[in-house]
Amino acid sequence: MSRRNIGPGVSFFAFQDIITAVVGIFILITLTLILELNQRVESASNPPDDATPIIDEQQIIALEQQSTDLQLQYDQRLQQLSEISEITVLNRDQKMEEANAAKTAAEQQLENLKKMVADMDVQLVNQNRINASLESEAIQLSAQKKKIEELETILAKLADQKNQIKGKEGLLYRDQVDTTNFVCLIQLNDAGVTIKDAASQTVKQLSTARSFKSWLQTNTARNRHFLILIEPSGIDFFETIREELQDQNATYGFDPVKRGHQAALTFEWESTP
């Protein structure tokens, strides 16, 4: 039988040469770094005779840092050398698959992180809305709180007025007889004529009874009920005032009281500061 001519086989010598050359370069670099490190350590430990023997603390720290950096570079070179030595023609495809798998896992982690960031952005927007709503409610509550404080002030004022009314001798008359007629309290004493008018919520002091006529002309008797309190010293004013009220067809009543009698209308207490 004749022999079959078989073509040349695959040779790995070229690839092995490349790997050997690369490994040799790394070994050369590593040895160079080690020699440089040893020289720096020796020069640092054996200063020249003319140099100052005392080394600054900062110089020591700098040398230690350089030593650490060189050791780190040395370790990196060893790691790179180890990785290159591990990659061969036989396991190259496996290494590529592992690298692709690591890339896919990293991309998936990146997508998960992006999704987490998006979710956190949505939560932040919702939280900002909640904060804005809470701020609006706080403003409303502040206004309500201010109103409550005002009401508490009014209640305290009314309570104080109530205590004053209880502790003070005299009578307190309401301002209105009904929905249309106001009370006008007239006190007659030695000081003259005191007019306390609920319709205008004013208190006026007159020295003579004739002055009452001028007041009555500017303040109509309509929608007023006049109550005259007569002290013994004010009896002389009564006839003149009664005649004026009768001429105006006013509704009035009178009552004799003792000297120094105290009487007031409700509006006087409400207007007290």
Side-chain angles (χ1 to χ4, degrees):
M1 295 177 61
S2 60
R3 290 186 178 181
R4 296 175 61 184
N5 188 12
I6 299 175
V10 178
S11 176
F12 295 102
F13 286 107
F15 180 76
Q16 291 176 353
D17 291 341
I18 293 172
I19 294 298
T20 303
V22 172
V23 171
I25 291 171
F26 276 106
I27 292 173
L28 180 60
I29 293 173
T30 302
L31 292 175
T32 302
L33 291 175
I34 292 173
L35 291 175
E36 183 178 357
L37 176 62
N38 290 331
Q39 290 176 0
R40 290 188 180 183
V41 172
E42 290 176 358
S43 61
S45 60
N46 297 320
D49 296 337
D50 56 348
T52 303
I54 299 176
I55 301 177
D56 189 7
E57 183 178 357
Q58 294 182 354
Q59 295 178 353
I60 295 175
I61 295 174
L63 291 174
E64 291 178 352
Q65 183 64 36
Q66 291 178 1
S67 176
T68 302
D69 294 339
L70 291 174
Q71 183 66 37
L72 181 60
Q73 293 178 9
Y74 175 72
D75 294 338
Q76 290 177 351
R77 296 295 186 275
L78 290 179
Q79 180 67 27
Q80 293 174 356
L81 179 61
S82 175
E83 291 177 356
I84 292 175
S85 301
E86 290 178 357
I87 299 175
T88 64
V89 176
L90 299 177
N91 64 0
R92 181 177 59 186
D93 294 338
Q94 181 181 357
K95 293 294 183 181
M96 290 294 293
E97 291 178 358
E98 292 177 355
N100 291 331
K103 178 183 177 182
T104 303
E107 291 176 349
Q108 184 63 39
Q109 291 179 357
L110 180 61
E111 291 296 327
N112 294 335
L113 290 174
K114 289 182 179 179
K115 185 177 180 181
M116 292 176 60
V117 171
D119 293 340
M120 292 179 66
D121 290 338
V122 173
Q123 294 178 1
L124 181 60
V125 172
N126 294 333
Q127 187 64 38
N128 290 335
R129 291 177 181 175
I130 294 173
N131 292 337
S133 177
L134 291 175
E135 290 178 358
S136 177
E137 292 179 0
I139 294 173
Q140 295 177 359
L141 291 174
S142 178
Q144 294 179 359
K145 182 180 178 181
K146 184 177 180 180
K147 188 174 182 180
I148 291 173
E149 291 176 353
E150 293 176 353
L151 291 175
E152 289 177 349
T153 302
I154 293 174
L155 289 175
K157 177 181 175 181
L158 292 176
D160 183 62
Q161 292 177 356
K162 180 179 178 182
N163 294 330
Q164 291 181 11
I165 293 172
K166 287 182 178 180
K168 190 172 183 179
E169 296 181 357
L171 297 175
L172 180 65
Y173 296 91
R174 61 185 180 180
D175 292 343
Q176 291 181 263
V177 178
D178 50 38
T179 56
T180 58
N181 293 314
F182 291 90
V183 175
C184 183
L185 185 62
I186 301 175
Q187 294 178 271
L188 306 179
N189 49 38
D190 54 357
V193 181
T194 303
I195 303 174
K196 299 181 178 182
D197 183 31
S200 60
Q201 293 192 353
T202 58
V203 178
K204 192 171 185 64
Q205 181 68 40
L206 304 177
S207 59
T208 62
R210 290 296 178 182
S211 301
F212 178 76
K213 181 178 180 180
S214 300
W215 180 89
L216 192 59
Q217 289 176 351
T218 57
N219 297 274
T220 178
R222 185 180 178 184
N223 297 333
R224 282 182 171 88
H225 180 83
F226 295 90
L227 176 58
I228 306 172
L229 300 179
I230 310 168
E231 294 185 21
S233 59
I235 192 66
D236 295 337
F237 302 115
F238 176 67
E239 289 298 330
T240 303
I241 290 176
R242 183 173 64 173
E243 291 175 1
E244 295 295 337
L245 292 175
Q246 288 176 349
D247 291 341
Q248 296 291 332
N249 294 322
T251 303
Y252 70 93
F254 60 90
D255 189 17
V257 295
K258 64 182 181 179
R259 179 180 177 85
H261 178 76
Q262 298 292 331
L265 295 178
T266 306
F267 80 87
E268 296 182 70
W269 294 98
E270 291 178 349
S271 60
T272 302

